[in-house]
Amino acid sequence: MSKSYRVAILGATGAVGTELLELLEHRNFPVSDLRLLASERSVGRTLRFRGENLAVEPVSDRAFDHVDLVLASAGGSASKTWARVAVEKGSVVIDNSSAFRMHPEVPLVVPEVNPLAAASHKGIIANPNCTTILMAMAVWPLHQVKPVKRLVVATYQSASGAGAKAMAEVKTQASAILQGQQPVAEVLPYPLAFNLFPHNSPLNDLGYCEEEMKMVNETRKIFGSQQIRITATCVRVPVLRAHSEAINLEFETPFSPDEAREILSHSPGVKLVEDWGTNHFPMPIEASGRDEVLVGRIRQDISHPCGLELWLCGDQIRKGAALNAVQIAELLVEKNLLKLSATIYASS
């Protein structure tokens, strides 16, 4: 990484944006110039980077002038508005929203799973949904040994998935309940403190919510297989940070839990956490702030001879969002892909 790059963070003051800032510094990404972009209400704030206080700037056409890389985490509508502007000005955009994930010309990348897909970018690379990334990290190494026929997953998603305001709201709600007061829900549709509810994203005609369908469709795209049968149930739980997932995998032939442990114990970005004697397995409180996806409680599915069960926890803000985006950026730099192809992506 001898060359340095001009970088902009779109949505710099949000939960993922501030994590992006920290990771760029911590991982020593070669930044020559950094622009922090956010909505008008955040303009005037300053954020610390490499010992300096950087002012937050408003988003505008001119904000993307002479920028090599845009790390976007300001939501789908902002990405649809500004990503094409940035690309037309010569930037490569790594987008954390759902705006472009299923577009056929936009690669959907988890660097430990499908790094080669990044080479096909036409200016935009999509970061998968947080739950999809965490699941892919644990399932892909096993899928490489024996292809998965069917995948059933239930998620236990923390408040961090709804942003910094949701995290603050849960704390306020918990305090209110402990003082005998009624909790107020403004960011999420229902009180989350001491409660849980199915993910509140829009439902389709089959009764699956948008979050669940993201796991289905994105996993198939990342794995390059439309044949995997996938079903998901996504639940919001009263945890501040780090998501958990219970995964059931069905293979053509039996998959030994010991073999799965051996594979996952050597898989990049994964840490095996199992102490059967003390019943200690991955917990969100231990996954919070960590880069690795914690995987454990790997066991034979007693209802199916070719079934395997596992449990994971991963930090939604880090590997589920900001870290994956920065890893994609590092991949582009390493492979000299931080440049536009002859044909840029044009949004429809």
Side-chain angles (χ1 to χ4, degrees), residues 260-262 264-265 270-274 282 293-298:
R261 288 188 190 95
E262 177 65 19
L264 290 172
S265 66
V270 172
K271 181 175 177 57
L272 190 65
V273 177
E274 288 189 325
V293 177
L294 308 184
V295 182
R297 205 163 181 242
I298 302 168

mmCIF file of all heavy atoms in Angstrom, residues 260-262 264-265 270-274 282 293-298:
data_model
loop_
_atom_site.group_PDB
_atom_site.id
_atom_site.type_symbol
_atom_site.label_atom_id
_atom_site.label_comp_id
_atom_site.label_asym_id
_atom_site.label_seq_id
_atom_site.Cartn_x
_atom_site.Cartn_y
_atom_site.Cartn_z
ATOM 1 N N ALA A 260 -16.201 -30.272 11.050
ATOM 2 C CA ALA A 260 -16.619 -28.872 10.942
ATOM 3 C C ALA A 260 -15.805 -27.985 11.876
ATOM 4 O O ALA A 260 -15.392 -26.881 11.496
ATOM 5 C CB ALA A 260 -18.112 -28.749 11.253
ATOM 6 N N ARG A 261 -15.557 -28.475 13.088
ATOM 7 C CA ARG A 261 -14.733 -27.699 14.030
ATOM 8 C C ARG A 261 -13.326 -27.488 13.486
ATOM 9 O O ARG A 261 -12.763 -26.396 13.599
ATOM 10 C CB ARG A 261 -14.657 -28.424 15.380
ATOM 11 C CG ARG A 261 -15.920 -28.399 16.183
ATOM 12 C CD ARG A 261 -15.715 -28.960 17.590
ATOM 13 N NE ARG A 261 -17.019 -29.113 18.208
ATOM 14 C CZ ARG A 261 -17.720 -30.249 18.205
ATOM 15 N NH1 ARG A 261 -17.215 -31.338 17.635
ATOM 16 N NH2 ARG A 261 -18.908 -30.291 18.772
ATOM 17 N N GLU A 262 -12.759 -28.534 12.929
ATOM 18 C CA GLU A 262 -11.406 -28.438 12.387
ATOM 19 C C GLU A 262 -11.361 -27.418 11.255
ATOM 20 O O GLU A 262 -10.428 -26.599 11.174
ATOM 21 C CB GLU A 262 -10.957 -29.815 11.890
ATOM 22 C CG GLU A 262 -9.592 -29.843 11.228
ATOM 23 C CD GLU A 262 -8.446 -29.499 12.172
ATOM 24 O OE1 GLU A 262 -8.635 -29.580 13.412
ATOM 25 O OE2 GLU A 262 -7.364 -29.135 11.668
ATOM 26 N N LEU A 264 -13.506 -24.846 10.661
ATOM 27 C CA LEU A 264 -13.783 -23.481 11.122
ATOM 28 C C LEU A 264 -12.667 -22.934 12.007
ATOM 29 O O LEU A 264 -12.446 -21.715 12.049
ATOM 30 C CB LEU A 264 -15.122 -23.450 11.867
ATOM 31 C CG LEU A 264 -16.344 -23.656 10.965
ATOM 32 C CD1 LEU A 264 -17.609 -23.806 11.798
ATOM 33 C CD2 LEU A 264 -16.493 -22.493 9.987
ATOM 34 N N SER A 265 -11.944 -23.811 12.691
ATOM 35 C CA SER A 265 -10.856 -23.336 13.550
ATOM 36 C C SER A 265 -9.700 -22.769 12.735
ATOM 37 O O SER A 265 -8.844 -22.059 13.283
ATOM 38 C CB SER A 265 -10.357 -24.470 14.450
ATOM 39 O OG SER A 265 -9.736 -25.496 13.693
ATOM 40 N N VAL A 270 -12.823 -16.172 11.499
ATOM 41 C CA VAL A 270 -13.693 -16.967 12.367
ATOM 42 C C VAL A 270 -12.901 -17.412 13.583
ATOM 43 O O VAL A 270 -11.730 -17.782 13.475
ATOM 44 C CB VAL A 270 -14.240 -18.202 11.614
ATOM 45 C CG1 VAL A 270 -14.979 -19.140 12.564
ATOM 46 C CG2 VAL A 270 -15.155 -17.774 10.479
ATOM 47 N N LYS A 271 -13.536 -17.386 14.746
ATOM 48 C CA LYS A 271 -12.915 -17.911 15.965
ATOM 49 C C LYS A 271 -13.849 -18.938 16.587
ATOM 50 O O LYS A 271 -15.017 -18.644 16.861
ATOM 51 C CB LYS A 271 -12.617 -16.793 16.976
ATOM 52 C CG LYS A 271 -11.951 -17.302 18.256
ATOM 53 C CD LYS A 271 -11.562 -16.176 19.173
ATOM 54 C CE LYS A 271 -10.955 -16.700 20.476
ATOM 55 N NZ LYS A 271 -9.773 -17.566 20.251
ATOM 56 N N LEU A 272 -13.340 -20.144 16.813
ATOM 57 C CA LEU A 272 -14.121 -21.213 17.431
ATOM 58 C C LEU A 272 -14.174 -20.979 18.935
ATOM 59 O O LEU A 272 -13.136 -20.844 19.591
ATOM 60 C CB LEU A 272 -13.493 -22.567 17.123
ATOM 61 C CG LEU A 272 -14.312 -23.800 17.491
ATOM 62 C CD1 LEU A 272 -15.586 -23.887 16.662
ATOM 63 C CD2 LEU A 272 -13.460 -25.070 17.290
ATOM 64 N N VAL A 273 -15.376 -20.907 19.483
ATOM 65 C CA VAL A 273 -15.571 -20.685 20.921
ATOM 66 C C VAL A 273 -16.464 -21.797 21.448
ATOM 67 O O VAL A 273 -17.681 -21.788 21.244
ATOM 68 C CB VAL A 273 -16.207 -19.305 21.206
ATOM 69 C CG1 VAL A 273 -16.464 -19.126 22.694
ATOM 70 C CG2 VAL A 273 -15.313 -18.188 20.674
ATOM 71 N N GLU A 274 -15.863 -22.775 22.099
ATOM 72 C CA GLU A 274 -16.613 -23.903 22.634
ATOM 73 C C GLU A 274 -15.942 -24.407 23.910
ATOM 74 O O GLU A 274 -14.758 -24.753 23.897
ATOM 75 C CB GLU A 274 -16.680 -25.061 21.631
ATOM 76 C CG GLU A 274 -17.567 -24.837 20.444
ATOM 77 C CD GLU A 274 -17.741 -26.110 19.620
ATOM 78 O OE1 GLU A 274 -16.777 -26.897 19.521
ATOM 79 O OE2 GLU A 274 -18.839 -26.311 19.075
ATOM 80 N N PRO A 282 -20.397 -18.888 22.028
ATOM 81 C CA PRO A 282 -20.389 -17.466 21.652
ATOM 82 C C PRO A 282 -21.532 -16.664 22.274
ATOM 83 O O PRO A 282 -22.679 -17.121 22.334
ATOM 84 C CB PRO A 282 -20.522 -17.522 20.127
ATOM 85 C CG PRO A 282 -19.869 -18.806 19.751
ATOM 86 C CD PRO A 282 -20.249 -19.762 20.838
ATOM 87 N N VAL A 293 -15.845 -13.415 13.734
ATOM 88 C CA VAL A 293 -17.157 -13.987 13.993
ATOM 89 C C VAL A 293 -16.939 -15.194 14.898
ATOM 90 O O VAL A 293 -16.165 -16.097 14.566
ATOM 91 C CB VAL A 293 -17.850 -14.415 12.684
ATOM 92 C CG1 VAL A 293 -19.184 -15.090 12.980
ATOM 93 C CG2 VAL A 293 -18.054 -13.204 11.781
ATOM 94 N N LEU A 294 -17.588 -15.192 16.048
ATOM 95 C CA LEU A 294 -17.430 -16.283 17.007
ATOM 96 C C LEU A 294 -18.422 -17.385 16.666
ATOM 97 O O LEU A 294 -19.619 -17.138 16.541
ATOM 98 C CB LEU A 294 -17.677 -15.779 18.436
ATOM 99 C CG LEU A 294 -16.892 -14.530 18.870
ATOM 100 C CD1 LEU A 294 -17.173 -14.217 20.335
ATOM 101 C CD2 LEU A 294 -15.400 -14.696 18.620
ATOM 102 N N VAL A 295 -17.919 -18.609 16.530
ATOM 103 C CA VAL A 295 -18.751 -19.743 16.141
ATOM 104 C C VAL A 295 -18.562 -20.872 17.150
ATOM 105 O O VAL A 295 -17.441 -21.126 17.606
ATOM 106 C CB VAL A 295 -18.395 -20.246 14.730
ATOM 107 C CG1 VAL A 295 -19.317 -21.395 14.326
ATOM 108 C CG2 VAL A 295 -18.478 -19.120 13.715
ATOM 109 N N GLY A 296 -19.655 -21.552 17.487
ATOM 110 C CA GLY A 296 -19.548 -22.661 18.423
ATOM 111 C C GLY A 296 -20.842 -23.451 18.527
ATOM 112 O O GLY A 296 -21.752 -23.295 17.724
ATOM 113 N N ARG A 297 -20.893 -24.302 19.547
ATOM 114 C CA ARG A 297 -22.012 -25.218 19.776
ATOM 115 C C ARG A 297 -22.346 -26.008 18.505
ATOM 116 O O ARG A 297 -23.504 -26.146 18.113
ATOM 117 C CB ARG A 297 -23.246 -24.476 20.305
ATOM 118 C CG ARG A 297 -24.159 -25.408 21.096
ATOM 119 C CD ARG A 297 -25.154 -24.672 21.985
ATOM 120 N NE ARG A 297 -25.946 -25.673 22.691
ATOM 121 C CZ ARG A 297 -27.251 -25.823 22.582
ATOM 122 N NH1 ARG A 297 -27.948 -25.001 21.817
ATOM 123 N NH2 ARG A 297 -27.879 -26.761 23.248
ATOM 124 N N ILE A 298 -21.302 -26.484 17.862
ATOM 125 C CA ILE A 298 -21.453 -27.272 16.635
ATOM 126 C C ILE A 298 -21.859 -28.689 17.030
ATOM 127 O O ILE A 298 -21.171 -29.341 17.824
ATOM 128 C CB ILE A 298 -20.138 -27.284 15.832
ATOM 129 C CG1 ILE A 298 -19.722 -25.848 15.495
ATOM 130 C CG2 ILE A 298 -20.281 -28.114 14.570
ATOM 131 C CD1 ILE A 298 -18.308 -25.725 14.958
#
